[in-house]
Amino acid sequence: SSNAMWGGRFAAGPDAIMEAINASIGFDKRLAAQDIAGSRAHAAMLAAQGILRDSDAEAIREGLLTVLSEIESGSFEFSTALEDIHMNVESRLKEIVGEPAGRLHTARSRNDQVATDFRLWTRDQIDAAIGGVEALIRALLVQAEAGADWVMPGFTHLQTAQPVTWGHHMMAYVEMFSRDLSRFKDARARMNESPLGAAALAGTSFPIDRHMTAEALGFDRPMANSLDAVSARDFALEFLSNASICAMHLSRFAEELVIWSSAQFRFVTLSDRFSTGSSIMPQKKNPDAAELIRAKIGRIFGANVALMMVMKGLPLAYSKDMQEDKEQVFDAADNLMLALAAMEGMVKDMSANRPQLAAAAGSGFSTATDLADWLVRVLDMPFRDAHHVTGSLVALAESKNCDLPDLTLEDMKSVHDAITDEVFGVLGVDNSVASRMSYGGTAPEQVRAQVARWKEVLG
Ligand code: ARG
C-alpha cells in the first residue's frame, strides 16, 4: 500500500530495502520529547495567528501530551513504515484526536521540524556537558587544594624535568577543562536560534509568527534565512568539535593515570570502584576506566569527521544525507558524558602516593636547573656557562651512580672551584618548587591562589 503522508502521488509502497535504508525511527526516536515540544509550540502559534481554530489547537496540544506519555511509559509502538519520529508522532496523534491532527503540519515541513528537534536535543547535551565538565573541575580543585605543596616530578618528553607540585599538575587540567567549558558555552549561544517556520526551504505564505515559537522553545531568536535554517548542521559539528577537544583532554589525563597507577610509577592508587581485576592474574588491578576514557576520543573525533564528510559538498537546501547526522551526535554525546562522569569519579576517589611522589621528584637530577640558576644568581655566571657546568656535575653524579644532592663539596669544586656549600640549599625539591613564585608557576602559594580564584569563579 502507498504511504498515508504522500500517497496521493504514489501508486506503490516502498521496497523492503528502500524502507530499511530510509527509516530513521530506530535512532531518531530519541528526539521524541523535542519533536512534541516543537509541535506544541507550532500549534499554539498557528492558533494565535488565526491559522488554526483554538479548539483544534487545543485538541492537538492535549493529544501530543498523550503521545509523549505513551512514549515515556514505553507503550508507544514505533513503526518503521512511518520512517521517522515526526511521522510516528503525527500518525499516532491522528488516531487519538482525529481530523485536527492533519492540520498541524500547516506552514511546516519535516525539514524545519527536524532541524528544530535536533537543535533542541543538542542544546540539552551542551548543557549536560557543561554540568559534567564543571563537576570534574570541582573534583580537580579538591585534589589541587589538598596537594598544593606535594612535590612530584614534572616531565618533558616523559623524562624527569623539574619538580612541580601535585596541585599545580591538577590545576593544569582545570585550565584545560575550563576552556572546554567556555567553548561549550560559546557554541550554545551561537546555536540557540530557531529554524522553525523556515518550512521546506523558502518560508511560507501563511502569516506565522516565528518569534513566538522561538521564544516558546527557549531560542533567542528565529534564524534569519530559511534556506540556512534547514541546511545548516554546523551547530552539530561545533558540538562535536568541542566534544572532541574535551575528549582529547580527558584522554591525556587518562593516559597519565594509566602510567601513574602502574607498579613502576606508583604515583596514585585508583579506587576499587573504578578498577577491574584479572580473571587469571590474582594480583592485578587494572585502570580500565582510564583506558576506556583514553579511547573515547577515537569515536568522538570519528563522529566529528564522519559528519563533516556527510555535509561537505551538499547543495542547499535539505538532502536526505543529512539524516545521517543524528547517530554521530548521539553516540558522541553519550560517550562524552560517560567519560566525564567516569573521570570525575576517578579523580574524587584517587589517592596520591605522597612519599613515592616526593622520592621520584628528587631523582633524575630534577633540580639541575635550580643549580644552574644558583650559579647565575650567586656566582654571576652567564646562563649558558652555568648550563655547561651543571651538565658536567650531572655527568659526574651519573658516573658515581648518585643524585646531585649526594655529591660532596669536593666533587662540586672539582668541576668549578667557586662553588660553596650554600649550593646544597637549592638542591632540595621543596626549595625548588617554593622558589618558582613567578605568576602561574608551581610554587604552592601560586597554586593556592589559582585554586581560590577558580573556586570564586565557579561559586
Ligand atoms: N528523518 C529525516 C531526517 O532525519 C527528517 C526530514 C525528512 N525530510 C524530507 N524532506 N525527507 O533528516
Side-chain angles (χ1 to χ4, degrees):
S1 70
S2 67
N3 187 296
M5 300 281 172
W6 53 71
R9 167 77 176 73
F10 284 68
D15 188 272
I17 294 298
M18 179 59 204
E19 196 171 287
I21 195 174
N22 197 37
S24 55
I25 189 62
F27 48 88
D28 68 15
K29 59 172 76 147
R30 291 185 68 174
L31 300 177
Q34 289 75 14
D35 193 70
I36 286 168
S39 289
R40 280 173 49 82
H42 184 66
M45 181 278 292
L46 290 178
Q49 296 298 102
I51 301 165
L52 198 62
R53 273 185 292 277
D54 285 342
S55 55
D56 285 348
E58 260 161 50
I60 288 169
R61 285 168 51 80
E62 273 303 305
L64 284 167
L65 288 184
T66 306
V67 176
L68 182 62
S69 69
E70 288 176 4
I71 291 174
E72 282 173 346
S73 73
S75 68
F76 191 95
E77 271 182 47
F78 292 101
S79 150
T80 309
L82 289 168
E83 271 196 37
D84 57 24
I85 187 63
H86 324 295
M87 295 202 290
N88 269 270
V89 169
E90 190 183 319
S91 159
R92 178 70 187 125
L93 182 68
K94 182 100 195 276
E95 289 172 6
I96 297 170
V97 308
E99 193 255 9
R103 300 181 183 275
L104 169 61
H105 214 52
T106 312
R108 187 179 76 171
S109 153
R110 276 188 296 157
N111 296 349
D112 60 335
Q113 199 178 348
V114 73
T116 303
D117 295 1
F118 197 30
R119 266 181 201 257
L120 290 172
W121 194 91
T122 304
R123 191 178 71 188
D124 284 349
Q125 295 305 306
I126 291 178
D127 289 341
I130 288 171
V133 175
E134 270 178 8
L136 173 55
I137 289 178
R138 285 179 204 281
L140 286 164
L141 287 174
V142 172
Q143 286 285 350
E145 191 163 37
D149 58 1
W150 302 350
V151 289
M152 66 179 281
F155 301 92
T156 60
H157 315 263
L158 197 56
Q159 307 290 319
T160 301
Q162 295 174 353
V164 294
T165 54
W166 173 261
H168 200 49
H169 201 110
M170 295 299 119
M171 292 306 288
Y173 282 106
V174 167
E175 294 291 331
M176 288 181 243
F177 289 123
S178 75
R179 287 192 296 276
D180 292 332
L181 208 53
S182 85
R183 268 184 285 271
F184 282 123
K185 288 177 179 171
D186 277 359
R188 191 194 198 284
R190 198 173 294 108
M191 64 101 63
N192 199 30
E193 297 187 337
S194 175
L196 194 57
L201 74 165
T204 174
S205 58
F206 289 99
I208 59 171
D209 182 353
R210 293 190 58 209
H211 292 273
M212 181 179 167
T213 45
E215 194 182 60
L217 295 170
F219 288 115
D220 295 327
R221 63 192 77 84
M223 293 179 77
N225 181 296
S226 62
L227 285 171
D228 175 47
V230 294
S231 304
R233 291 295 182 272
D234 54 295
F235 69 94
L237 285 166
E238 203 171 342
F239 170 70
L240 291 174
S241 314
N242 294 346
S244 297
I245 296 173
C246 183
M248 175 275 292
H249 287 149
L250 287 167
S251 183
R252 293 183 73 172
F253 192 24
E255 165 69 357
E256 294 198 311
L257 294 181
V258 170
I259 294 172
W260 290 357
S261 62
S262 69
Q264 288 68 26
F265 269 76
R266 291 189 300 113
F267 282 8
V268 291
T269 305
L270 301 176
S271 72
D272 289 356
R273 304 194 320 146
F274 285 95
S275 307
T276 57
S278 159
S279 53
I280 174 170
M281 297 165 283
Q283 87 283 10
K284 291 282 272 182
K285 183 170 159 190
N286 294 326
D288 292 38
E291 294 169 84
L292 288 162
I293 292 168
R294 185 174 60 185
K296 291 300 183 193
I297 177 66
R299 61 199 290 177
I300 294 173
F301 190 58
N304 191 7
V305 173
L307 183 55
M308 196 70 95
M309 291 300 103
V310 167
M311 296 308 296
K312 77 169 277 294
L314 287 189
L316 304 191
Y318 179 86
S319 298
K320 197 60 174 265
D321 310 49
M322 291 161 73
Q323 180 166 284
E324 294 279 319
D325 57 1
K326 284 169 277 299
E327 283 169 292
Q328 302 300 342
V329 176
F330 291 166
D331 187 74
D334 290 346
N335 283 286
L336 179 69
M337 300 317 155
L338 207 46
L340 283 168
M343 187 57 97
E344 182 204 347
M346 270 197 301
V347 171
K348 273 184 174 157
D349 281 13
M350 73 183 180
S351 59
N353 183 350
R354 260 188 97 177
Q356 174 65 12
L357 286 171
S363 71
F365 316 110
S366 65
T367 52
T369 312
D370 299 270
L371 201 167
D373 287 350
W374 182 88
L375 295 171
V376 170
R377 213 171 40 243
V378 177
L379 302 186
D380 195 28
M381 228 181 249
F383 183 77
R384 283 290 157 228
D385 298 347
H387 186 287
H388 191 84
V389 169
T390 307
S392 304
L393 286 165
V394 167
L396 179 62
E398 202 163 40
S399 75
K400 300 185 76 168
N401 203 17
C402 70
D403 252 300
L404 284 173
D406 308 322
L407 290 175
T408 64
L409 186 58
E410 287 69 50
D411 292 332
M412 297 273 187
K413 283 182 176 297
S414 75
V415 174
H416 190 88
D417 63 8
I419 296 177
T420 67
D421 63 3
E422 189 196 316
V423 75
F424 291 100
V426 302
L427 296 181
V429 287
D430 288 305
N431 287 339
S432 169
V433 296
S435 73
R436 288 193 161 69
M437 275 293 291
S438 52
Y439 181 81
T442 197
E445 235 177 282
Q446 287 294 324
V447 173
R448 288 190 185 104
Q450 292 301 329
V451 171
R453 182 172 71 83
W454 276 113
K455 279 174 136 180
E456 205 176 298
V457 169
L458 291 178

